[in-house]
Amino acid sequence: MKKRTKQPWMAAGDFGRSLPRGIGVNLLVREIAPMEDFCRDVLGAQIIYADEDFAAVQLLGSVFMLHADHSYLDNPMTGVIAGVETRGAGLEIRLYGADPDRIEVMARKHGHIVLAGSVDKPHGIRECHIVGPDGYVFVPSLAIAG
C-alpha cells in the first residue's frame, strides 16, 4: 500500500526507461526518510526524488533506488525480508571514489555505527565500513597514491 501524498517528479515507467544499462541497486528499507538522510548527510549523495514510498539517489555518477517495505507488499522480495532484523547480510555496498575519512567523520557525527575505521589496505585502497539504516554496510574507498 502506497503512502505517497504528493505527485512523483516523473511517471514510474518514464523513470524505469531512463535508467542506463549496467548494474542497478535497490535497497528495501523500513522507512525512506532515515536512509535518505544517511545517503545525503553521511555519504554526500544527491537525492533526486523522495517520498514516503520511494527515493531515487545519485552518488558518484550512479543512480540507485530505495523502496519502503510497505510499497513492496505484492513483490516477490517481500518473503525475503519478512522478519529479517538486519538487511543485506554479507553485502558490501562499495563506493569507489568516496573519501572514507570524511564519510567516517560524518557517520560518527550522525550517530551511525563505524564497523571499521579508515585504514590503508594492502590492495591499494583506503577504506572504512559504515553501517547505515536497516543494517546495510557501505564501504567508501579511495585509491592510495603509489
Side-chain angles (χ1 to χ4, degrees), residues 67-127:
H67 277 91
D69 291 349
H70 66 261
S71 71
Y72 248 56
L73 294 180
D74 61 349
N75 188 287
M77 287 297 290
T78 301
V80 174
I81 61 169
V84 174
E85 190 65 30
T86 300
R87 312 286 174 100
L91 171 71
E92 293 176 338
I93 302 169
R94 293 197 156 259
L95 308 175
Y96 300 116
D99 183 346
D101 295 290
R102 184 193 67 77
I103 291 174
E104 179 183 349
V105 166
M106 295 306 292
R108 291 182 193 282
K109 176 180 174 184
H110 290 277
H112 295 284
I113 297 169
V114 176
L115 196 57
S118 299
V119 64
D120 292 350
K121 302 296 268 189
H123 49 276
I125 62 173
R126 182 168 180 80
E127 67 183 29

Side-chain angles (χ1 to χ4, degrees), residues 7-52:
Q7 277 294 81
W9 93 113
M10 74 167 55
D14 292 340
F15 177 65
R17 285 185 289 277
S18 77
L19 295 170
R21 290 178 49 108
I23 296 172
V25 174
N26 180 40
L27 301 180
L28 300 180
V29 297
R30 288 175 183 85
E31 294 180 46
I32 296 295
M35 185 63 88
E36 175 190 355
D37 292 346
F38 175 81
C39 290
R40 181 188 57 247
D41 299 340
V42 175
L43 302 179
Q46 175 192 358
I47 307 303
I48 298 169
Y49 173 82
D51 61 33
E52 298 87 348

